[in-house]
Amino acid sequence: MTTAVGTAVQARVAVATLFFVNGFSFANIVPRYPEIKDGLSLSNAALGTAIAAMPLGALILGLAASPLIKRFGSARTAVCTQALAGANIIFVGTAPNYALLCAGLFLAGSFDAVTDVAMNAHGMRVQRLYQRSILNSFHGVWSVGAVLGGFAGAGAAQAQVPLSVHLAVTGCVSAAAALVSLRYLLPGAEDTERESSGDGQRAVPPGARWAVVRLLAVLGLLAAAAAVVEDSGASWGSVYLRNELAANAFVGGLAFASLQGAQTVGRLLGDRVVQRLGDRLTARIGGTLALAGMGTALLWPSVPATVAGFGLAGLGIATLIPAAFHAADEIPGLWPGAGITITAFLTRVGFLLSPPLVGLVADASSIRLGLAIVPLAGLVILLTSGILDPRPRGDAGG
């Protein structure tokens, strides 16, 4: 028994390490985009197009995650693609021309998409050993890693550390940490813990296949709605505060900080919440927070209300993507990781479509009207949350 507990704890730390490294590593590049832009003499449009290669790569090659997991297992798939992502950071930061920069960012999105699915799939294995919800804590660790990575990148830029040196150190350390974690991840087949708990993957009856497709579509819509809310703070929060509410540069950044900060806290505490309330009720509360928080802020616009609205929205969506991944992974009869792969793909569609959609509405009317997509996403969450398990997670055996 002690050995089993020790194995579970070691595996949890190893998965958390992968989540942290995944969030931390690429976040180091973002504050150094201006130097990359100047070094290659790129226009704003050219840089934006290059950055768009990331979600494109994620959408095109991210679907390879399930076949890779089936062939190599979630542990090796997550570790290898994260190690490749670490090496690719060096390539992105030192790309000698625009074409290779686009290629590097395309690969960054591809590696990230596969790592995302694989480490979540392995996190689900560890969660089954614990027999209680721990997946949200992994996503919370990712958020912490992303914030720290952004600070590290900004600090390196401020200290004028050469880009090649900064990213070489970051990439090598990230790859090494991922490789070390492999030793402590769970061995064996992907369904080992599911079968040992008496909840083995049953085959999908032929007549139920369309029901599975519909279930995955609804889960994907739920996760995509959460992605829309998350992206709104990153892409448009600062622009809205500065351009339409006359906030200064520092206050403009508070929209993103409020959403991400509240989301991080919500993820770190989310396992306790779903343990008591279940995924369905937690999602409904979250959708209500996004709908009411940003809806109120947009109806009666002010800087404090907007910052608070983004914070409530971030808190509301904190557990939704992990909940959708959990539900997708529990669908019987699918390849290992297939449910998470499809749900993650649809989630990334939300991240891809949200910024241009808000931009089109903003050009035609105002950013304020464009940001109505946030309370609308909250409404979608309320309408789709019935697909989630209503039982407290401890009672659901997960």
Side-chain angles (χ1 to χ4, degrees), residues 8 11-20 119-120 122-124 126-127 130 134-144 267-268 271 322:
R12 182 176 185 177
V13 173
V15 173
T17 299
L18 284 173
F19 271 84
F20 179 88
M119 66 186 183
N120 272 283
H122 205 81
M124 288 295 303
V126 179
Q127 179 167 271
Y130 272 76
I134 62 171
L135 193 62
N136 289 289
S137 67
F138 292 139
H139 287 257
V141 170
W142 184 94
S143 297
V144 172
R267 285 175 167 176
L268 292 174
D271 290 312

Side-chain angles (χ1 to χ4, degrees), residues 229-246:
V229 175
E230 182 175 348
D231 181 80
S232 66
S235 298
W236 294 103
S238 177
V239 180
Y240 173 60
L241 283 171
R242 296 190 66 181
N243 290 3
E244 296 195 10
L245 297 183

Side-chain angles (χ1 to χ4, degrees), residues 287-389:
T288 301
L289 288 175
L291 173 61
M294 279 304 295
T296 301
L298 294 173
L299 285 174
W300 294 281
S302 69
V303 171
T306 300
V307 173
F310 275 116
L312 289 173
L315 184 63
I317 64 169
T319 65
L320 296 185
I321 292 177
F325 284 178
H326 175 266
D329 196 57
E330 293 298 310
I331 297 175
L334 298 178
W335 280 4
I340 298 178
T341 297
I342 295 170
T343 306
F345 175 86
L346 295 173
T347 303
R348 292 177 186 277
V349 171
F351 279 116
L352 182 65
L353 296 182
S354 175
L357 181 59
V358 175
L360 287 172
V361 175
D363 284 344
S365 178
S366 66
I367 301 174
R368 178 186 173 194
L369 184 60
L371 284 175
I373 195 173
V374 178
L376 286 176
L379 180 60
V380 170
I381 291 166
L382 285 172
L383 294 174
T384 56
S385 58
I387 203 73
L388 299 175
D389 196 329

